[in-house]
Structures are given as C-alpha cells and as structure tokens.
Amino acid sequence: MSAADLSLREAVQTLYSHHHGWLYGWLRRKLGCPHRAADVAHDTFERVLAARDALCGVEQPRAWLTTTASRLIIDEARRERLRQAYLAELAPLMDAHEGHPSPEQILTALQALEQLSAVLEVVSPKAREAFVRHYLDGETIATVAAGLGVSTRMVGKYLAQVLVRCAHLGAP
C-alpha cells in the first residue's frame, strides 16, 4: 500500500470515527427514523470514499457531511417522486383494465425509472429541473423557461441533454 493510500485510509477512518455518531444523530433528528438515518449515514460515507480526492481538502467536515447527506436525501426524494408519478399514471390504467400489470412489466418500468433517476443525478441542476418540470409536472416549455430564467431554446437544450443521456442508457 502506497503512502498516499495509507494517508487517505487514515483520513477516512478519522473522519468516520470522529463524525459518524454526530452525523447519525443529525440525520435521525432530521428524518425521524433511525433506520433511514443509518442508511443515509452509510451512503454518505460511501460517497466520501468515492470522492476520496476531495477528502484531502476538507476544512469543515461536518458541513461537508451534512451537504452530502442532504443531497442523498434529495436524490431519494426524487426517486420516490418518480415512483409515485409512475404509480399515479398506472392507477387509471389498472381501473380501466381488469388485470394488473405483469411482474415483468412492473420490473421493466421500475428499471426504466432507476435509469432515469441515474441520468437526472448526473445532468446539471437546471437540466434536471427543466426535465422534471416539463415532463413530470406538465409545465410548458415557456413556463419552465420563465421559472429558470432562461430562454425557451435553452430549455429545449436542457431537455435534449437529458433525453440523449437516456438514449445512451437505453432508458425511455
């Protein structure tokens, strides 16, 4: 193991031992559920390991951890919103048809939603917001443009950016 790897490992261990309990307590108060708090704390330190280069320059570890944890909570809420939108769209179809979607159809739809969620995590915040507001909230491109403070052409570029990434993943 190189000296840099050893130094990084020590930095992660120190960060974890000094701040995990505090982060878990903060998340438990924020989320109101000890199980979700434990999951998000775990995911936060997973992100820390993934961003190990950024770890070396952290001056405010608690602020960095809370920001990372907050972003994970937002990502989770976004995924839940997509799931709820899918279920809301599915409900009228289930009422109109006597049967229910097959397990394969449900799995395919959930996989597509996961892929879309992954795409929305990597695009710019404005592209993500434009996509969600237009395709999920049903806002017109002009309304989205006004809300984002950009031109309608820029909203079209944002939407295209998300759709192209979806096409590369094979998502809908």
Side-chain angles (χ1 to χ4, degrees):
M1 182 177 286
S2 72
D5 289 339
L6 187 57
S7 175
L8 178 63
R9 185 175 184 172
E10 289 173 358
V12 171
Q13 286 175 338
T14 301
L15 183 71
Y16 185 86
S17 64
H18 287 128
H19 301 290
H20 179 269
W22 171 84
L23 179 64
Y24 170 75
W26 180 80
L27 287 165
R28 190 171 177 185
R29 286 186 302 278
K30 183 173 183 73
L31 300 173
C33 175
H35 303 294
R36 281 196 61 220
D39 287 344
V40 173
H42 170 82
D43 292 346
T44 300
F45 280 96
E46 231 176 31
R47 284 252 175 116
V48 166
L49 289 172
R52 61 181 177 222
D53 294 336
L55 181 61
C56 298
V58 173
E59 294 178 16
Q60 301 277 332
R62 289 189 175 183
W64 189 52
L65 290 170
T66 55
T67 299
T68 302
S70 295
R71 288 179 180 161
L72 286 167
I73 292 168
I74 290 167
D75 291 346
E76 182 181 315
R78 186 178 299 115
R79 282 191 296 275
E80 179 61 21
R81 185 174 171 190
L82 283 169
R83 191 178 78 76
Q84 291 300 327
Y86 169 72
L87 292 175
E89 290 295 321
L90 187 62
L93 295 175
M94 288 176 41
D95 292 341
H97 295 34
E98 291 189 17
H100 297 282
S102 70
E104 294 82 13
Q105 290 171 319
I106 292 172
L107 178 63
T108 300
L110 290 176
Q111 287 172 338
L113 288 173
E114 283 297 321
Q115 288 177 331
L116 179 59
S117 179
V119 166
L120 291 176
E121 288 179 19
V122 298
V123 297
S124 69
K126 283 191 175 185
R128 177 177 38 250
E129 186 174 349
F131 184 87
V132 169
R133 289 176 69 175
H134 180 66
Y135 287 110
L136 297 181
D137 297 341
E139 293 182 14
T140 66
I141 290 178
T143 304
V144 174
L148 293 176
V150 298
S151 67
T152 56
R153 183 175 175 167
M154 193 67 217
V155 170
K157 287 181 180 182
Y158 288 147
L159 297 176
Q161 177 187 7
V162 175
L163 294 173
V164 165
R165 284 193 179 255
C166 287
H168 286 4
L169 288 176

